[in-house]
Amino acid sequence: MTFGFAPSSAASLSTSASAASASRLLEPAEWAAAGIPLLRNPREVVSGLHARHRPRPSTAIVAVLDPDERLRASASFVRRPAPADGWMFRNALLAQLRRVIPHDLRRRTPVRTAVLLYCRDGDARWTEEDGAWMWGLRDACTLHGLRCGAYITLTRDGWQVLGEGRGGRRPNSESLPEPFGLSEAPPPLPRTGGAVSDVLRRAAAR
């Protein structure tokens, strides 16, 4: 007769959780093959978000762009000190999206695009943390009816659109905000006729 020790249930759960967490990330090759739409002017997007939110390391900024790449909504939050997990990142991003903009789940095809800018320490090379953010962004976009857009890192060395090879030295995680060109369209005028509409149109033309 032989005797041994069966692994504890806690150890089994810990191993399972680690394996699940490891699967909730995207490698650079997977991200590049996913058909993520390219930004026409990534530096303008990065500069605009940097000026609006003034991120420091561990700050994530999720932004929603319309088809003309104009900013419709954005939100920033600081990542909690915990192991990188795409599922947790997905939940955090989805909570921010629900707070700042209605979903587009009724559309057959997504029209608006969500991009993520993450300010962190270290260099611009891909990390497992980046992979978890990529997984989280893609899943959050699906659940909110948006197209999954670019994932951008901001470090001491500058900014980089991962999976595309485009980047620049400024802004960076230590630089002051620069003037930005991300434009937000003015609110549409009411479509009702009459004197009130005429007054609003004249006021808008001034």
Side-chain angles (χ1 to χ4, degrees), residues 39 61 79 134 153 162 172 186 191 200:
L39 290 170
I61 305 171
R79 185 202 154 184
M134 290 171 167
T153 57
L162 291 194
N172 57 61
R191 293 185 178 181
L200 288 173

Side-chain angles (χ1 to χ4, degrees), residues 5-202:
F5 295 93
S8 69
S9 59
S12 299
L13 288 173
S14 177
T15 302
S16 300
S18 298
S21 178
S23 68
R24 290 192 289 261
L25 60 84
L26 294 176
E27 300 278 349
E30 294 176 291
W31 183 257
I36 305 299
L38 301 179
L39 290 170
R40 290 194 296 270
N41 193 336
R43 188 182 188 283
E44 184 175 285
V45 172
V46 173
S47 296
L49 295 178
H50 183 261
R52 278 183 172 83
H53 295 276
R54 302 181 178 226
R56 307 309 302 167
S58 297
T59 302
I61 305 171
V62 61
V64 179
L65 309 178
D66 70 10
D68 295 322
E69 217 164 88
R70 290 177 296 188
L71 182 66
R72 287 307 177 195
S74 65
S76 63
F77 59 98
V78 177
R79 185 202 154 184
R80 294 179 179 177
D85 186 329
W87 185 76
M88 297 294 291
F89 291 169
R90 185 277 307 271
N91 290 346
L93 292 170
L94 193 56
Q96 297 298 324
L97 288 171
R98 287 171 173 165
R99 185 173 65 84
V100 299
I101 198 163
H103 67 73
D104 276 348
L105 294 171
R106 293 185 181 88
R107 293 183 178 272
R108 290 186 177 181
T109 304
V111 174
R112 298 181 292 192
T113 302
V115 300
L116 177 61
L117 173 69
Y118 183 55
C119 181
R120 62 168 172 78
D121 293 319
D123 57 33
R125 287 176 294 185
W126 180 88
T127 66
E128 289 191 358
E129 182 185 24
D130 295 324
W133 279 117
M134 290 171 167
W135 191 97
L137 176 62
R138 186 186 64 177
D139 219 41
C141 288
T142 299
L143 294 173
H144 207 64
L146 302 170
R147 286 200 308 170
C148 179
Y151 172 67
I152 307 160
T153 57
L154 190 71
T155 65
R156 293 190 305 265
D157 300 330
W159 59 272
Q160 179 175 333
V161 185
L162 291 194
E164 295 183 20
R166 293 191 291 175
R169 294 186 177 180
R170 294 185 69 84
N172 57 61
S173 61
E174 298 175 346
S175 63
L176 294 175
E178 301 175 1
F180 58 88
L182 277 176
S183 59
E184 297 186 38
L189 293 175
R191 293 185 178 181
T192 55
V196 174
S197 293
D198 291 337
V199 171
L200 288 173
R201 277 194 288 270
R202 285 197 295 271

